[in-house]
Amino acid sequence: MFRTAFAIAALGATTAGAEIVADYHRYTVGETEFEGYVATNSAIESKGTVLIVHDWDGMTAYEERRAEMLAALGYTAFAIDVYGAETNPQSVDEYRALSGGLYGDRELFRERLMGSIEAAADIPGATDNMVIQGYCFGGAAVLEAARAGAELNGFVSFHGGLGTPEGQDYAAAQGPIMLFHGSADPVSGMADLASLLDELQAAGVDHGAQVFGGARHSFTVYGSSDYDLAADQGSWNGLLEFLDETL
């Protein structure tokens, strides 16, 4: 079982001499075109590939910034898209419709996740070893990919939806699962976290969790009313430790 330290690392830390190369990357899943974002560090041999699943508002500067932060530390980062290149949601109603559409069609959700994971093999700087992470809706997507049996080195959910849909389980999970969550999250509370940990334990899935006291749902999202600097920095540090152990 993975354990994460509580030491806090500076989010803006970069590697000396780092040269970040970042650009958009189009790929196709089924008959739909998607646009992700790839960031690499030309000064360092890649330490592994990290996939990032966006929040319910789609691909934004937030995911791009996280990808560049990972690239600065020597990882190949690929922020994947599960909505489609032609979507550009601008309101809560549109966010809800797009995310709800995938929650309501788990087969399509999995097709897009698995197709994006397959597409990662073709990005610049791709490696065989990969971890997938996500925030909020993206955190729930990461758990969907784990239940679908995605063959990855690890799965990381930041304040994601933790409920397991009816008829699903973690029997097919292929790698360790790490959860970063706030104790005051009104979307998925501590009862949901406890239930998920029980499921993972019963399924024999290597797992870990780090809980931040008083942190609410979107504690890593800059500018949101839920943003919590200590929880953001602590979970980032925990992520880096997880990546060091799994990639």
Side-chain angles (χ1 to χ4, degrees):
M1 183 177 296
F2 286 86
R3 297 285 186 265
T4 57
F6 281 80
I8 294 177
L11 287 179
T14 58
T15 304
E19 298 175 15
I20 307 306
V21 179
D23 204 355
Y24 298 99
H25 178 78
R26 290 233 171 185
Y27 61 99
T28 301
V29 179
E31 298 181 355
T32 304
E33 188 173 34
F34 297 85
E35 185 173 76
Y37 186 78
V38 179
T40 59
N41 190 330
S42 63
I44 304 174
E45 182 178 354
S46 180
K47 296 158 65 174
T49 300
V50 183
L51 311 182
I52 303 168
V53 189
H54 57 74
D55 199 350
W56 75 334
D57 55 350
M59 277 286 298
T60 68
Y62 179 86
E63 288 77 24
E64 294 170 13
R65 180 177 179 182
R66 291 291 182 181
E68 291 166 3
M69 289 166 63
L70 287 165
L73 296 172
Y75 296 98
T76 297
F78 181 28
I80 68 173
D81 172 22
V82 296
Y83 283 172
E86 303 309 314
T87 62
N88 185 27
Q90 296 296 312
S91 68
V92 169
D93 286 343
E94 291 178 309
Y95 305 157
R96 185 176 291 113
L98 285 166
S99 60
L102 291 178
Y103 283 144
D105 188 343
R106 296 284 171 166
E107 184 176 345
L108 178 62
F109 200 3
R110 292 185 173 199
E111 176 185 316
R112 292 184 174 184
L113 285 167
M114 302 299 264
S116 296
I117 291 168
E118 290 178 9
D122 298 324
I123 65 172
T127 64
D128 291 335
N129 295 329
M130 297 185 183
V131 163
I132 190 169
Q133 69 176 67
Y135 301 86
C136 296
F137 166 78
V142 163
L143 297 178
E144 187 74 34
R147 293 190 297 267
E151 295 183 358
L152 297 170
N153 293 74
F155 304 81
V156 183
S157 170
F158 291 84
H159 45 79
L162 303 179
T164 301
E166 185 176 354
Q168 290 193 16
D169 58 38
Y170 285 88
Q174 299 294 307
I177 295 173
M178 186 66 201
L179 308 166
F180 296 107
H181 217 71
S183 69
D185 191 323
V187 178
S188 280
M190 291 297 93
D192 292 333
L193 177 61
S195 179
L196 175 54
L197 294 175
D198 283 343
E199 286 185 67
L200 296 174
Q201 182 65 28
V205 178
D206 196 4
H207 62 280
Q210 189 169 352
V211 176
F212 298 94
R216 292 179 58 79
H217 182 57
S218 302
F219 63 78
T220 69
V221 180
Y222 323 117
S224 78
S225 60
D226 287 350
Y227 183 72
D228 185 313
L229 177 61
D232 183 18
Q233 292 181 325
S235 60
W236 180 257
N237 186 67
L239 167 68
L240 298 185
E241 183 173 335
F242 182 84
L243 295 178
D244 188 56
E245 293 175 348
T246 55
L247 292 177

